[in-house]
Amino acid sequence: MENNKAIAGLLCQIAALLQEQEVPFKPAAYRRAAQVIEELPRDISTYGDEKELKKLSGIGDAIARKIIEYLETGKITALENLRITQGGIPADLMDVEGLGPKRVRQIQAAFGVKTVADLIKAAEDGKLRTLPRFSELMEKKVLENAKRVKERTRRFPREEVKEDVIKLLKKIEGVEGVDQCSVAGSYRREKETVGDIDILVVTKSPKEVSDAIASLSIVRDVVAHGERKLSFDLKSGLRVDVRFVKKDQWGSALLYFTGSKEHNIAMRRVAIKNSWKLNEYGLFDGDALLASKTEEEIYKKLKLRFFAPKERGGRL
Ligand code: DCT
Ligand code: MG
Ligand code: MG
């Protein structure tokens, strides 16, 4: 039921931000939907597609779409945009349960708190309780919730997670329907610390494979469960992102999910210079596919040398 709680929390954040903009009706609708979702008897990812979700009371088009987006990608773009347009409230501060935009701003203004670490310090120093509309009890709750967010955003030394990664890859390779798999992201780039583990899987049956991986014993909490992406935490607290792709997109997907983000941007720029487009599905000239099967052919087509994952930090 991890998804229900997470989605309800995000919908409440949307409600709070819309309310600040004095948008009528919508905040109440988002809150109502959040409550419906919190009270569902089963995990929301088991309710099926957009059409099925809309059968639930209080869930219309817009909210159903956001739920599917979250289940497939782990985020809600509309919320991220609201956070940006509304004064750049740091996402991880708003992820602390019990902190709405008003309180976040209040704490920012009073103590210059910018990060969850700052927040923990302010709470530990007993500063929060001195603010209007705060209490000692609330400070204690905020501290607990902030620590939980911090655990989620912590980075892990590569050496510490190596064994888990090798074990996990072996297990995933053994799942029926998995044709190919590789680790991507910062782990593949051999960074000294990793924020999460990104894994790419080729399969013709993403739904079955996603279900099978989610039920592996090494998995602690499943946080997003869709046909394009599965996210879960290992027992160590390490987050794992698994993406499902088609065999002929292997190269472009591996390139994209290996990153770094800066390397991807630099590569895209080269594509654009040729009036082409590069994304996780391939390198395209209009609708025509130029390359997607291997990383090598994409570099070659762009007239670049091959960059080993370790070299993909930034500029070309
Ligand atoms: N990516 C991207 N643009 C983004 C986000 C991600 O191109 N806005 C790509 C590049 C990296 C890959 O997806 C995986 O994303 P993350 O796991 O967020 O990044 P990472 O490089 O693996 O770093 P971290 O160690 O923080 O996970
Ligand atoms: Mg990563
Ligand atoms: Mg990731």
Side-chain angles (χ1 to χ4, degrees):
M1 309 284 267
E2 184 82 15
N3 283 316
N4 300 12
K5 200 166 175 339
I7 291 173
L10 295 177
L11 295 181
C12 284
Q13 286 185 27
I14 294 178
L17 288 167
L18 290 175
Q19 192 159 359
E20 269 204 331
Q21 290 183 349
E22 295 181 7
V23 175
F25 312 117
K26 278 189 184 172
Y30 277 100
R31 284 212 181 84
R32 210 171 320 121
Q35 196 176 355
V36 169
I37 293 167
E38 277 240 65
E39 289 168 0
L40 289 177
R42 286 184 285 130
D43 193 274
I44 193 150
S45 62
T46 64
Y47 280 75
D49 57 9
E50 219 173 290
K51 216 170 115 214
E52 290 300 312
L53 287 174
K54 283 198 304 204
K55 290 184 187 156
L56 296 169
S57 92
I59 300 196
D61 266 329
I63 294 180
R65 262 201 309 276
K66 291 184 177 72
I67 294 171
I68 298 286
E69 184 189 356
Y70 177 83
L71 292 174
E72 290 194 338
T73 68
K75 62 178 190 178
I76 300 179
T77 311
L79 172 58
E80 299 198 343
N81 291 340
L82 274 174
R83 280 179 187 141
I84 293 166
T85 53
Q86 232 141 297
I89 300 184
D92 48 354
L93 281 183
M94 265 194 76
D95 281 343
V96 176
E97 229 183 298
L99 277 190
K102 268 207 196 103
R103 286 214 165 88
V104 169
R105 282 210 190 84
Q106 196 184 2
I107 298 168
Q108 276 181 321
F111 311 119
V113 163
K114 287 198 193 75
T115 63
V116 174
D118 296 345
L119 178 66
I120 290 174
K121 175 116 197 353
E124 280 173 347
D125 291 347
K127 282 183 179 164
L128 300 190
R129 69 182 77 171
T130 65
L131 292 174
R133 302 190 310 122
F134 266 92
S135 65
E136 210 176 315
L137 180 68
M138 207 181 288
E139 180 180 76
K140 188 167 160 264
K141 287 236 168 81
V142 166
L143 180 59
E144 278 168 20
N145 293 335
K147 282 186 172 163
R148 208 166 304 142
V149 171
K150 192 163 170 232
E151 194 206 335
R152 246 183 10 212
T153 52
R154 125 172 185 237
R155 298 188 68 82
F156 293 74
R158 178 187 169 82
E159 283 306 312
E160 211 176 272
V161 303
K162 221 168 164 175
E163 221 171 288
D164 271 351
V165 172
I166 293 168
K167 200 159 99 191
L168 183 63
L169 282 174
K170 264 214 186 98
K171 294 240 160 150
I172 293 179
E173 273 167 6
V175 167
E176 197 180 317
V178 171
D179 297 326
Q180 203 171 342
C181 90
S182 166
V183 66
S186 50
Y187 187 90
R188 183 167 182 244
R189 299 200 312 278
E190 297 181 39
K191 292 268 291 180
E192 261 170 51
T193 67
V194 296
D196 66 3
I197 299 298
D198 304 281
I199 291 176
L200 198 63
V201 167
V202 171
T203 176
K204 290 186 206 74
S205 40
K207 185 163 187 319
E208 289 74 12
V209 168
S210 177
D211 290 347
I213 296 173
S215 59
L216 290 174
S217 61
I218 189 171
V219 172
R220 187 177 73 183
D221 297 314
V222 173
V223 289
H225 194 166
E227 291 195 18
R228 277 167 39 205
K229 170 175 163 165
L230 170 72
S231 289
F232 54 82
D233 290 339
L234 298 180
K235 299 209 169 71
S236 59
L238 180 62
R239 171 68 51 92
V240 180
D241 278 342
V242 185
R243 303 265 190 347
F244 303 106
V245 297
K246 298 203 182 88
K247 184 161 182 52
D248 49 11
Q249 296 164 347
W250 175 255
S252 45
L254 188 60
L255 185 68
Y256 179 86
F257 291 116
T258 296
S260 65
K261 188 176 156 195
E262 290 70 25
H263 187 77
N264 288 350
I265 292 170
M267 298 252 323
R268 260 196 309 270
R269 232 180 253 138
V270 178
I272 291 165
K273 263 200 206 134
N274 290 284
S275 316
W276 296 337
K277 189 175 75 187
L278 176 65
N279 57 33
E280 66 239 63
Y281 307 110
L283 176 64
F284 298 90
D285 181 358
D287 287 336
L289 178 67
L290 301 176
S292 69
K293 286 201 174 90
T294 65
E295 293 183 328
E296 285 81 357
E297 64 177 308
I298 296 167
Y299 280 107
K300 200 164 162 208
K301 199 88 207 167
L302 290 171
K303 297 207 161 56
L304 295 166
R305 72 171 175 92
F306 180 79
F307 282 70
K310 212 177 169 170
E311 301 174 303
R312 300 183 196 169
R315 266 174 283 147
L316 296 174

